[in-house]
Amino acid sequence: MLDTVVSFTGHRMQSLPFGEHSPEMDGIKFRLYQESRALMEQGCTEFLCGMAQGIDLIAAEQVIRLKRSLFPAVQLIAVQPYPDFTRQWSFTWKRRYESVLLWCSQCKNISPSYDPGANHRRDLYLASHCGRLIAVFNGDYATGTGYVILHAKRLGAEVTIIPVPKPR
């Protein structure tokens, strides 16, 4: 039942006009926590994460905070484009990825190995396997985040957009 399934989408850190340790990012993290908690309180039990650097992993960390403290039955599901897609990531992002992965009840690889369409198919999976979508969005529909939002809306998902604020 898709009504209890939530997907996340959002931009990578390099696409945001501020750093992770900024007041703007603190606000985004707070909103991700609030929105996730509200959906858990409404009965959502599965949260799908695309596992990309940036908003994907940050959103998953908020779900983990809630799972550890208030909602132990919630399932976090990793939806990856292919195994070893983190091969060229920095040590810091790989550690965060591995920490999140430890809390995932499932890990789904969209493709068995790299191919040029794997990331796009991962985005399509996230949009088409949820009843609700939480998106951190800068307004540019020509991005993967924009694609996920449009596709999820076309399929009837309830979409919550957390706008990317302008830096102070």
Side-chain angles (χ1 to χ4, degrees), residues 105-127:
S105 54
Q106 295 178 46
C107 182
K108 176 166 184 52
N109 288 299
I110 299 302
S111 180
S113 60
Y114 171 78
D115 72 73
N119 285 324
H120 179 72
R121 288 193 312 279
R122 184 259 328 264
D123 291 347
L124 180 63
Y125 185 96
L126 291 168

PDB file of all heavy atoms in Angstrom, residues 105-127:
ATOM      1  N   SER A 105      16.603  -1.491   6.417  1.00  0.00           N
ATOM      2  CA  SER A 105      16.083  -2.855   6.512  1.00  0.00           C
ATOM      3  C   SER A 105      16.206  -3.582   5.173  1.00  0.00           C
ATOM      4  O   SER A 105      16.173  -4.802   5.135  1.00  0.00           O
ATOM      5  CB  SER A 105      14.632  -2.847   6.983  1.00  0.00           C
ATOM      6  OG  SER A 105      13.852  -2.020   6.157  1.00  0.00           O
ATOM      7  N   GLN A 106      16.339  -2.828   4.083  1.00  0.00           N
ATOM      8  CA  GLN A 106      16.526  -3.399   2.754  1.00  0.00           C
ATOM      9  C   GLN A 106      17.446  -2.493   1.956  1.00  0.00           C
ATOM     10  O   GLN A 106      17.508  -1.294   2.203  1.00  0.00           O
ATOM     11  CB  GLN A 106      15.202  -3.471   1.987  1.00  0.00           C
ATOM     12  CG  GLN A 106      14.161  -4.384   2.528  1.00  0.00           C
ATOM     13  CD  GLN A 106      12.893  -4.277   1.662  1.00  0.00           C
ATOM     14  OE1 GLN A 106      12.965  -4.295   0.442  1.00  0.00           O
ATOM     15  NE2 GLN A 106      11.755  -4.133   2.316  1.00  0.00           N
ATOM     16  N   CYS A 107      18.103  -3.109   0.972  1.00  0.00           N
ATOM     17  CA  CYS A 107      18.910  -2.345   0.027  1.00  0.00           C
ATOM     18  C   CYS A 107      18.579  -2.864  -1.366  1.00  0.00           C
ATOM     19  O   CYS A 107      18.814  -4.018  -1.665  1.00  0.00           O
ATOM     20  CB  CYS A 107      20.392  -2.495   0.331  1.00  0.00           C
ATOM     21  SG  CYS A 107      21.432  -1.533  -0.782  1.00  0.00           S
ATOM     22  N   LYS A 108      17.989  -1.993  -2.175  1.00  0.00           N
ATOM     23  CA  LYS A 108      17.608  -2.364  -3.531  1.00  0.00           C
ATOM     24  C   LYS A 108      18.546  -1.676  -4.514  1.00  0.00           C
ATOM     25  O   LYS A 108      18.662  -0.455  -4.514  1.00  0.00           O
ATOM     26  CB  LYS A 108      16.174  -1.952  -3.808  1.00  0.00           C
ATOM     27  CG  LYS A 108      15.750  -2.217  -5.237  1.00  0.00           C
ATOM     28  CD  LYS A 108      14.273  -2.128  -5.413  1.00  0.00           C
ATOM     29  CE  LYS A 108      13.826  -2.490  -6.804  1.00  0.00           C
ATOM     30  NZ  LYS A 108      14.302  -3.741  -7.331  1.00  0.00           N
ATOM     31  N   ASN A 109      19.209  -2.486  -5.348  1.00  0.00           N
ATOM     32  CA  ASN A 109      20.027  -1.956  -6.427  1.00  0.00           C
ATOM     33  C   ASN A 109      19.203  -1.985  -7.703  1.00  0.00           C
ATOM     34  O   ASN A 109      18.693  -3.031  -8.096  1.00  0.00           O
ATOM     35  CB  ASN A 109      21.306  -2.781  -6.598  1.00  0.00           C
ATOM     36  CG  ASN A 109      22.267  -2.553  -5.463  1.00  0.00           C
ATOM     37  OD1 ASN A 109      22.708  -1.437  -5.252  1.00  0.00           O
ATOM     38  ND2 ASN A 109      22.578  -3.599  -4.722  1.00  0.00           N
ATOM     39  N   ILE A 110      19.064  -0.851  -8.354  1.00  0.00           N
ATOM     40  CA  ILE A 110      18.256  -0.740  -9.559  1.00  0.00           C
ATOM     41  C   ILE A 110      18.914  -1.459 -10.728  1.00  0.00           C
ATOM     42  O   ILE A 110      18.253  -2.072 -11.547  1.00  0.00           O
ATOM     43  CB  ILE A 110      17.996   0.746  -9.893  1.00  0.00           C
ATOM     44  CG1 ILE A 110      17.218   1.418  -8.753  1.00  0.00           C
ATOM     45  CG2 ILE A 110      17.286   0.904 -11.218  1.00  0.00           C
ATOM     46  CD1 ILE A 110      15.877   0.776  -8.418  1.00  0.00           C
ATOM     47  N   SER A 111      20.222  -1.397 -10.810  1.00  0.00           N
ATOM     48  CA  SER A 111      20.969  -2.043 -11.885  1.00  0.00           C
ATOM     49  C   SER A 111      22.070  -2.905 -11.256  1.00  0.00           C
ATOM     50  O   SER A 111      22.609  -2.536 -10.207  1.00  0.00           O
ATOM     51  CB  SER A 111      21.581  -0.970 -12.790  1.00  0.00           C
ATOM     52  OG  SER A 111      22.319  -1.543 -13.840  1.00  0.00           O
ATOM     53  N   PRO A 112      22.448  -4.027 -11.872  1.00  0.00           N
ATOM     54  CA  PRO A 112      23.507  -4.873 -11.299  1.00  0.00           C
ATOM     55  C   PRO A 112      24.891  -4.246 -11.382  1.00  0.00           C
ATOM     56  O   PRO A 112      25.795  -4.615 -10.645  1.00  0.00           O
ATOM     57  CB  PRO A 112      23.429  -6.164 -12.110  1.00  0.00           C
ATOM     58  CG  PRO A 112      22.748  -5.798 -13.383  1.00  0.00           C
ATOM     59  CD  PRO A 112      21.850  -4.636 -13.070  1.00  0.00           C
ATOM     60  N   SER A 113      25.077  -3.279 -12.286  1.00  0.00           N
ATOM     61  CA  SER A 113      26.358  -2.593 -12.424  1.00  0.00           C
ATOM     62  C   SER A 113      26.094  -1.230 -13.057  1.00  0.00           C
ATOM     63  O   SER A 113      24.975  -0.939 -13.478  1.00  0.00           O
ATOM     64  CB  SER A 113      27.321  -3.411 -13.288  1.00  0.00           C
ATOM     65  OG  SER A 113      26.768  -3.588 -14.581  1.00  0.00           O
ATOM     66  N   TYR A 114      27.138  -0.424 -13.149  1.00  0.00           N
ATOM     67  CA  TYR A 114      26.975   0.908 -13.723  1.00  0.00           C
ATOM     68  C   TYR A 114      26.446   0.816 -15.157  1.00  0.00           C
ATOM     69  O   TYR A 114      26.880  -0.006 -15.958  1.00  0.00           O
ATOM     70  CB  TYR A 114      28.303   1.674 -13.734  1.00  0.00           C
ATOM     71  CG  TYR A 114      28.173   2.950 -14.532  1.00  0.00           C
ATOM     72  CD1 TYR A 114      27.557   4.059 -13.981  1.00  0.00           C
ATOM     73  CD2 TYR A 114      28.598   3.013 -15.859  1.00  0.00           C
ATOM     74  CE1 TYR A 114      27.382   5.222 -14.721  1.00  0.00           C
ATOM     75  CE2 TYR A 114      28.424   4.176 -16.609  1.00  0.00           C
ATOM     76  CZ  TYR A 114      27.814   5.269 -16.031  1.00  0.00           C
ATOM     77  OH  TYR A 114      27.627   6.407 -16.767  1.00  0.00           O
ATOM     78  N   ASP A 115      25.518   1.677 -15.461  1.00  0.00           N
ATOM     79  CA  ASP A 115      25.140   1.964 -16.845  1.00  0.00           C
ATOM     80  C   ASP A 115      24.619   3.401 -16.850  1.00  0.00           C
ATOM     81  O   ASP A 115      24.191   3.909 -15.810  1.00  0.00           O
ATOM     82  CB  ASP A 115      24.130   0.951 -17.405  1.00  0.00           C
ATOM     83  CG  ASP A 115      22.743   1.095 -16.829  1.00  0.00           C
ATOM     84  OD1 ASP A 115      22.043   2.079 -17.195  1.00  0.00           O
ATOM     85  OD2 ASP A 115      22.341   0.243 -16.023  1.00  0.00           O
ATOM     86  N   PRO A 116      24.658   4.073 -17.983  1.00  0.00           N
ATOM     87  CA  PRO A 116      24.333   5.502 -18.021  1.00  0.00           C
ATOM     88  C   PRO A 116      22.929   5.867 -17.544  1.00  0.00           C
ATOM     89  O   PRO A 116      22.701   6.992 -17.130  1.00  0.00           O
ATOM     90  CB  PRO A 116      24.519   5.877 -19.495  1.00  0.00           C
ATOM     91  CG  PRO A 116      25.393   4.828 -20.061  1.00  0.00           C
ATOM     92  CD  PRO A 116      25.129   3.584 -19.274  1.00  0.00           C
ATOM     93  N   GLY A 117      21.981   4.954 -17.561  1.00  0.00           N
ATOM     94  CA  GLY A 117      20.621   5.272 -17.151  1.00  0.00           C
ATOM     95  C   GLY A 117      20.263   4.854 -15.740  1.00  0.00           C
ATOM     96  O   GLY A 117      19.127   5.035 -15.301  1.00  0.00           O
ATOM     97  N   ALA A 118      21.223   4.320 -14.997  1.00  0.00           N
ATOM     98  CA  ALA A 118      20.927   3.771 -13.663  1.00  0.00           C
ATOM     99  C   ALA A 118      20.403   4.830 -12.697  1.00  0.00           C
ATOM    100  O   ALA A 118      19.442   4.581 -11.958  1.00  0.00           O
ATOM    101  CB  ALA A 118      22.156   3.071 -13.087  1.00  0.00           C
ATOM    102  N   ASN A 119      21.011   6.006 -12.675  1.00  0.00           N
ATOM    103  CA  ASN A 119      20.547   7.061 -11.755  1.00  0.00           C
ATOM    104  C   ASN A 119      19.132   7.509 -12.110  1.00  0.00           C
ATOM    105  O   ASN A 119      18.307   7.721 -11.224  1.00  0.00           O
ATOM    106  CB  ASN A 119      21.502   8.254 -11.765  1.00  0.00           C
ATOM    107  CG  ASN A 119      22.780   7.978 -11.009  1.00  0.00           C
ATOM    108  OD1 ASN A 119      22.769   7.301  -9.993  1.00  0.00           O
ATOM    109  ND2 ASN A 119      23.879   8.476 -11.517  1.00  0.00           N
ATOM    110  N   HIS A 120      18.865   7.634 -13.405  1.00  0.00           N
ATOM    111  CA  HIS A 120      17.526   8.032 -13.841  1.00  0.00           C
ATOM    112  C   HIS A 120      16.483   6.973 -13.439  1.00  0.00           C
ATOM    113  O   HIS A 120      15.403   7.315 -12.956  1.00  0.00           O
ATOM    114  CB  HIS A 120      17.526   8.246 -15.353  1.00  0.00           C
ATOM    115  CG  HIS A 120      16.198   8.636 -15.897  1.00  0.00           C
ATOM    116  ND1 HIS A 120      15.643   9.882 -15.689  1.00  0.00           N
ATOM    117  CD2 HIS A 120      15.296   7.937 -16.622  1.00  0.00           C
ATOM    118  CE1 HIS A 120      14.467   9.938 -16.279  1.00  0.00           C
ATOM    119  NE2 HIS A 120      14.228   8.773 -16.854  1.00  0.00           N
ATOM    120  N   ARG A 121      16.817   5.706 -13.600  1.00  0.00           N
ATOM    121  CA  ARG A 121      15.881   4.640 -13.217  1.00  0.00           C
ATOM    122  C   ARG A 121      15.695   4.589 -11.698  1.00  0.00           C
ATOM    123  O   ARG A 121      14.608   4.281 -11.219  1.00  0.00           O
ATOM    124  CB  ARG A 121      16.337   3.292 -13.771  1.00  0.00           C
ATOM    125  CG  ARG A 121      16.150   3.191 -15.273  1.00  0.00           C
ATOM    126  CD  ARG A 121      16.295   1.770 -15.807  1.00  0.00           C
ATOM    127  NE  ARG A 121      17.465   1.070 -15.329  1.00  0.00           N
ATOM    128  CZ  ARG A 121      18.693   1.205 -15.825  1.00  0.00           C
ATOM    129  NH1 ARG A 121      18.907   2.034 -16.836  1.00  0.00           N
ATOM    130  NH2 ARG A 121      19.695   0.518 -15.333  1.00  0.00           N
ATOM    131  N   ARG A 122      16.732   4.924 -10.947  1.00  0.00           N
ATOM    132  CA  ARG A 122      16.595   5.015  -9.489  1.00  0.00           C
ATOM    133  C   ARG A 122      15.600   6.122  -9.137  1.00  0.00           C
ATOM    134  O   ARG A 122      14.708   5.940  -8.311  1.00  0.00           O
ATOM    135  CB  ARG A 122      17.955   5.296  -8.850  1.00  0.00           C
ATOM    136  CG  ARG A 122      17.991   5.313  -7.315  1.00  0.00           C
ATOM    137  CD  ARG A 122      17.988   6.690  -6.664  1.00  0.00           C
ATOM    138  NE  ARG A 122      18.627   7.743  -7.390  1.00  0.00           N
ATOM    139  CZ  ARG A 122      19.878   8.142  -7.211  1.00  0.00           C
ATOM    140  NH1 ARG A 122      20.662   7.547  -6.337  1.00  0.00           N
ATOM    141  NH2 ARG A 122      20.347   9.159  -7.911  1.00  0.00           N
ATOM    142  N   ASP A 123      15.717   7.269  -9.804  1.00  0.00           N
ATOM    143  CA  ASP A 123      14.789   8.378  -9.579  1.00  0.00           C
ATOM    144  C   ASP A 123      13.360   7.975  -9.926  1.00  0.00           C
ATOM    145  O   ASP A 123      12.414   8.278  -9.186  1.00  0.00           O
ATOM    146  CB  ASP A 123      15.199   9.606 -10.390  1.00  0.00           C
ATOM    147  CG  ASP A 123      16.493  10.248  -9.909  1.00  0.00           C
ATOM    148  OD1 ASP A 123      16.950   9.908  -8.796  1.00  0.00           O
ATOM    149  OD2 ASP A 123      17.033  11.089 -10.646  1.00  0.00           O
ATOM    150  N   LEU A 124      13.204   7.279 -11.037  1.00  0.00           N
ATOM    151  CA  LEU A 124      11.885   6.802 -11.460  1.00  0.00           C
ATOM    152  C   LEU A 124      11.294   5.847 -10.423  1.00  0.00           C
ATOM    153  O   LEU A 124      10.117   5.926 -10.083  1.00  0.00           O
ATOM    154  CB  LEU A 124      11.991   6.109 -12.822  1.00  0.00           C
ATOM    155  CG  LEU A 124      10.712   5.547 -13.406  1.00  0.00           C
ATOM    156  CD1 LEU A 124       9.714   6.662 -13.680  1.00  0.00           C
ATOM    157  CD2 LEU A 124      11.012   4.781 -14.696  1.00  0.00           C
ATOM    158  N   TYR A 125      12.116   4.975  -9.878  1.00  0.00           N
ATOM    159  CA  TYR A 125      11.669   4.032  -8.848  1.00  0.00           C
ATOM    160  C   TYR A 125      11.167   4.789  -7.619  1.00  0.00           C
ATOM    161  O   TYR A 125      10.100   4.488  -7.079  1.00  0.00           O
ATOM    162  CB  TYR A 125      12.807   3.081  -8.468  1.00  0.00           C
ATOM    163  CG  TYR A 125      12.383   2.012  -7.496  1.00  0.00           C
ATOM    164  CD1 TYR A 125      12.002   0.760  -7.952  1.00  0.00           C
ATOM    165  CD2 TYR A 125      12.360   2.253  -6.120  1.00  0.00           C
ATOM    166  CE1 TYR A 125      11.597  -0.230  -7.064  1.00  0.00           C
ATOM    167  CE2 TYR A 125      11.960   1.278  -5.234  1.00  0.00           C
ATOM    168  CZ  TYR A 125      11.582   0.037  -5.705  1.00  0.00           C
ATOM    169  OH  TYR A 125      11.173  -0.932  -4.817  1.00  0.00           O
ATOM    170  N   LEU A 126      11.951   5.762  -7.166  1.00  0.00           N
ATOM    171  CA  LEU A 126      11.560   6.542  -5.988  1.00  0.00           C
ATOM    172  C   LEU A 126      10.213   7.232  -6.201  1.00  0.00           C
ATOM    173  O   LEU A 126       9.371   7.251  -5.301  1.00  0.00           O
ATOM    174  CB  LEU A 126      12.627   7.583  -5.645  1.00  0.00           C
ATOM    175  CG  LEU A 126      13.947   7.046  -5.125  1.00  0.00           C
ATOM    176  CD1 LEU A 126      15.003   8.143  -5.106  1.00  0.00           C
ATOM    177  CD2 LEU A 126      13.790   6.429  -3.746  1.00  0.00           C
ATOM    178  N   ALA A 127      10.008   7.787  -7.401  1.00  0.00           N
ATOM    179  CA  ALA A 127       8.770   8.511  -7.696  1.00  0.00           C
ATOM    180  C   ALA A 127       7.577   7.581  -7.828  1.00  0.00           C
ATOM    181  O   ALA A 127       6.460   7.941  -7.461  1.00  0.00           O
ATOM    182  CB  ALA A 127       8.937   9.323  -8.977  1.00  0.00           C
TER     183      ALA A 127
END
